Amino acid sequence: MAYITLLHQKRIILAVTGSIAVYKAVDLASKLTQAGALVDVIMTEAALQFITPLTFQSVTGRPVYTNLWEVGHGSGLPTHIAHVGLGEGADLLVVAPATANTLAKLAHGLADDLLSVTALAARCPLIVAPAMDGGMYLHPAMQANLHTLRERGAIIIEPDEGRFASGLVGKGRLPETPALIGHMRQALGQRGGLKGRQIIVTAGGTREPIDPVRFITNRSSGKQGYAIAQAAVDAGGSVTLITTTHDLPLPVGVTRVMVGSAAEMLHAVLDHSTQADALIMAAAVADFRPDRVAEQKIKKKDDSQEAPTLTLTRTPDILMQIKERRRTSGFPRVVVGFAAESEHLLAHARAKLERKGLDMLVANDITAPDAGFEVDTNRVVMLDADGSQTPLDLAQKSWIAEAIIARVAAKLQD
Ligand code: C5P
């Protein structure tokens, strides 16, 4: 995992408890550090049975805390009293994996080790990721403790189902690192500029059917749209992603609506955007579709070279219909379009922005090999309805997405 802007310089307390899933917490600590976070690990007595502090120290490059009775002079914490110093100024306290014992202690406010005392002293959001074998997770006592924690504002990450170390199968496995980090991003995002805003994003190329097994599509991978959905969650938005592709990991916190054709995407966009704050149309919507869809698979004739001729017709223009909707209802408040052009990029983009009544248009030059379809990087120009234009250097699609989202948040604040 690479750098994540939202995590940069964030102080995260990662508390690990005595579960075999602790090996996954090493990966989590490493990925968080690579993403730019400052990770302070607390290990409980039971966690020390599985793994040594050196492992976490090595991946985080920071001291690891195991003892309530040690005074943390020289640790770089705001105060030498470790349980206070750890909590002070922390952005998140994450307990992963969280055992039944630790969760019970947290629910009841017990304070007999560094983790439980820190949890009482810290004022940052608390995330817990339960991990336990043998059906313990489903025990009413466990569920009651989780209920108590949830009521108090803690974020509980649902464990995965699957095989346990015991060989039993059930619910109670610690989710993988990307899911854990996804929840952390969603929690940290709550301070962002899109808090309370409803954001609709579209992604991917539409699929226009020819017959039950064939379709026409384009080279859009959906990567830029998915990155925008993640950036919108990072900024605190409530995000719906209307997409044709499920090949990419869905960002935690995003509601996905799967569609196929341009007509299906139109209906989904109209349905979901009646009260939306922003619509970001990153999807490559087909302009043409076969004018009739064969009910049965079109068969070739073995004794002839004959091939069918496809007649195409226009698809609905989603943004033009949204323009009409906006005229009467005022929603979505902000609309962003995309333009993929192979020539006269800025002139075509400006004309499109005006014709479709957009607040902003993101123009891609699809002739460059390192920008546009399929690749992880992009080079775009953001054009504004006020006539200004902002070129962005070649960058990861995630970074481009953040720039677009920052602009959308600013427009919503105006
Ligand atoms: O007109 P053009 O397809 O180049 O415009 C691109 C922008 O319009 C994109 O934001 C795309 O999602 C949107 N679009 C649309 N409906 C179409 C075609 C494109 O909303 N039928």
Side-chain angles (χ1 to χ4, degrees), residues 237-252:
S238 169
V239 185
T240 301
L241 178 66
I242 300 171
T243 182
T244 55
T245 172
H246 47 218
D247 299 344
L248 296 166
L250 183 67
V252 171

Side-chain angles (χ1 to χ4, degrees), residues 200-207 217-230 239-251 254-262 264-265 268-269 279-286 318 336 338 373 397:
I200 314 296
V201 183
T202 66
T206 61
R207 296 170 161 198
T217 189
N218 56 62
R219 287 178 53 210
S220 169
S221 62
K223 282 181 181 169
Q224 186 65 76
Y226 271 70
I228 291 169
Q230 176 68 77
V239 185
T240 301
L241 178 66
I242 300 171
T243 182
T244 55
T245 172
H246 47 218
D247 299 344
L248 296 166
L250 183 67
V254 173
T255 305
R256 179 161 56 188
V257 177
M258 292 301 302
V259 294
S261 64
E264 283 174 26
M265 186 170 276
V269 168
L279 167 66
I280 305 172
M281 281 290 298
V285 184
I318 301 171
V336 179
F338 277 66
F373 294 133
K397 284 183 173 168

Side-chain angles (χ1 to χ4, degrees), residues 202 204 206 262 265-266 269 279-288 314-322 336-341 348 352 355-356 358 360-362:
T202 66
T206 61
M265 186 170 276
L266 170 69
V269 168
L279 167 66
I280 305 172
M281 281 290 298
V285 184
D287 295 320
F288 312 107
R314 289 291 292 269
T315 54
D317 191 312
I318 301 171
L319 282 175
M320 292 307 277
Q321 298 212 20
I322 283 291
V336 179
F338 277 66
E341 301 285 348
H348 284 169
K352 200 170 290 180
R355 189 171 70 251
K356 301 198 183 205
L358 306 172
M360 185 169 122
L361 187 133
V362 181

Side-chain angles (χ1 to χ4, degrees), residues 35-319:
L38 307 173
V39 185
D40 289 319
V41 175
I42 297 177
M43 298 178 74
T44 61
E45 191 75 32
L48 292 166
Q49 299 292 320
F50 288 90
I51 198 164
T52 71
L54 180 64
T55 311
F56 285 110
Q57 255 162 30
S58 305
V59 295
T60 64
R62 294 170 70 86
V64 169
Y65 301 86
T66 57
N67 191 341
L68 178 59
W69 311 113
E70 234 170 61
V71 176
H73 284 299
S75 60
L77 295 177
T79 149
H80 64 284
I81 306 296
H83 69 273
V84 179
L86 279 164
E88 207 173 305
D91 293 288
L92 267 187
L93 168 55
V94 185
V95 189
T99 56
N101 181 52
T102 291
L103 289 166
K105 286 186 359 185
L106 294 177
H108 294 277
L110 264 62
D112 64 351
D113 64 3
L114 183 58
L115 164 52
S116 51
V117 177
T118 304
L120 291 175
R123 292 292 168 265
C124 58
L126 168 68
I127 299 184
V128 298
M132 56 202 76
D133 202 333
M136 288 162 70
Y137 177 72
L138 298 174
H139 192 283
M142 185 70 256
Q143 289 300 315
N145 287 335
L146 290 174
H147 180 76
T148 303
L149 288 168
R150 201 177 278 119
E151 292 274 283
R152 218 182 276 148
I155 296 158
I156 319 286
I157 303 180
E158 280 263 309
D160 285 347
E161 294 209 22
R163 187 187 174 281
F164 295 120
S166 65
L168 293 174
V169 172
K171 190 168 187 168
R173 284 172 55 87
L174 184 70
E176 301 302 323
T177 299
L180 299 174
I181 292 184
H183 284 279
M184 295 166 67
R185 293 175 81 153
Q186 193 183 15
L188 288 169
Q190 289 308 305
R191 309 176 199 160
L194 291 184
K195 186 169 165 55
R197 303 290 195 178
Q198 197 194 333
I199 313 296
I200 314 296
V201 183
T202 66
T206 61
R207 296 170 161 198
E208 308 304 327
I210 298 170
D211 68 15
V213 296
R214 303 183 178 96
F215 54 79
I216 303 176
T217 189
N218 56 62
R219 287 178 53 210
S220 169
S221 62
K223 282 181 181 169
Q224 186 65 76
Y226 271 70
I228 291 169
Q230 176 68 77
V233 171
D234 286 355
S238 169
V239 185
T240 301
L241 178 66
I242 300 171
T243 182
T244 55
T245 172
H246 47 218
D247 299 344
L248 296 166
L250 183 67
V252 171
V254 173
T255 305
R256 179 161 56 188
V257 177
M258 292 301 302
V259 294
S261 64
E264 283 174 26
M265 186 170 276
L266 170 69
H267 289 125
V269 168
L270 290 175
D271 276 0
H272 288 87
S273 65
T274 50
Q275 304 277 308
D277 291 294
L279 167 66
I280 305 172
M281 281 290 298
V285 184
D287 295 320
F288 312 107
R289 65 172 172 82
D291 73 340
R292 56 173 290 275
V293 182
E295 262 175 46
Q296 307 299 333
K297 182 181 171 191
I298 302 170
K299 303 283 284 177
K300 66 176 181 293
K301 291 191 184 112
D302 286 338
D303 54 359
S304 114
Q305 288 302 310
E306 222 178 276
T309 303
L310 286 181
T311 310
L312 301 179
T313 187
R314 289 291 292 269
T315 54
D317 191 312
I318 301 171
L319 282 175

